[in-house]
Amino acid sequence: MNNFKQIFLLLVFFCFSQSGFSQVGINTTTPMSTLDINGNLSLKTVVLIGSGSATIIDDGVYISINPQATDQEFKLPSAILFPGRVYIIRNINNTNTAKLTSAGGMLFPKNSTVGTIDIYMYEGNLRTITVISDGSNWTYIN
């Protein structure tokens, strides 16, 4: 009976350890990455309207922000709490500047070691940016 338990536990361990190295393919029979998609990808889109207090960004991937006044604040979640999180953010207002801040971590432009606590998004300057959490801070690409 003791050998049966050991063999059973060994099989269970083998099955679960193999699933840790699995690859998933969508529309492909030979995935080459952890997730391999052969086709189109759709992302959740959200429109956020600015308000008197900071508008929290907590849903969606492609986010259209619409400030109702100049320098209205839109706040990213903490980069520390959401490592690997990616947002694509676009200021869709043609007249008002949006102020982008973070609940945790600084904002760093790509290829820079100098961060800031906020960035301003307006026509001609950072109209659309992609932000990526590294687990400590946000890196932004325009």
Side-chain angles (χ1 to χ4, degrees):
M1 185 67 175
N2 195 19
N3 285 340
F4 176 74
K5 282 184 182 179
Q6 289 176 342
I7 292 171
F8 178 74
L9 289 174
L10 203 65
L11 284 172
V12 169
F13 173 76
F14 178 75
C15 289
F16 283 110
S17 67
Q18 291 302 309
S19 67
F21 301 104
S22 297
Q23 295 172 316
V24 175
I26 298 174
N27 205 25
T28 179
T29 56
T30 55
M32 302 301 288
S33 298
T34 304
L35 176 60
D36 192 341
I37 301 171
N38 182 13
N40 296 322
L41 174 66
S42 294
L43 303 172
K44 183 174 184 178
T45 62
V46 174
V47 176
L48 296 176
I49 307 296
S51 64
S53 59
T55 303
I56 306 300
I57 298 172
D58 62 358
D59 193 19
V61 176
Y62 187 92
I63 300 163
S64 297
I65 56 176
N66 191 354
Q68 301 302 294
T70 299
D71 297 343
Q72 219 160 35
E73 183 179 0
F74 293 83
K75 186 175 279 193
L76 293 163
S78 171
I80 298 160
L81 297 176
F82 297 98
R85 179 75 55 99
V86 177
Y87 293 110
I88 302 163
I89 304 170
R90 178 167 176 80
N91 180 355
I92 61 173
N93 192 299
N94 290 324
T95 55
N96 291 325
T97 302
K99 178 180 171 182
L100 186 65
T101 62
S102 170
M106 295 182 71
L107 297 152
F108 286 84
K110 67 176 182 174
N111 300 327
S112 177
T113 58
V114 179
T116 184
I117 59 169
D118 53 26
I119 55 176
Y120 293 86
M121 300 174 63
Y122 54 90
E123 184 68 42
N125 181 42
L126 302 177
R127 179 71 176 231
T128 301
I129 64 169
T130 302
V131 292
I132 306 162
S133 167
D134 66 6
S136 296
N137 296 293
W138 294 96
T139 298
Y140 66 92
I141 304 164
N142 61 325

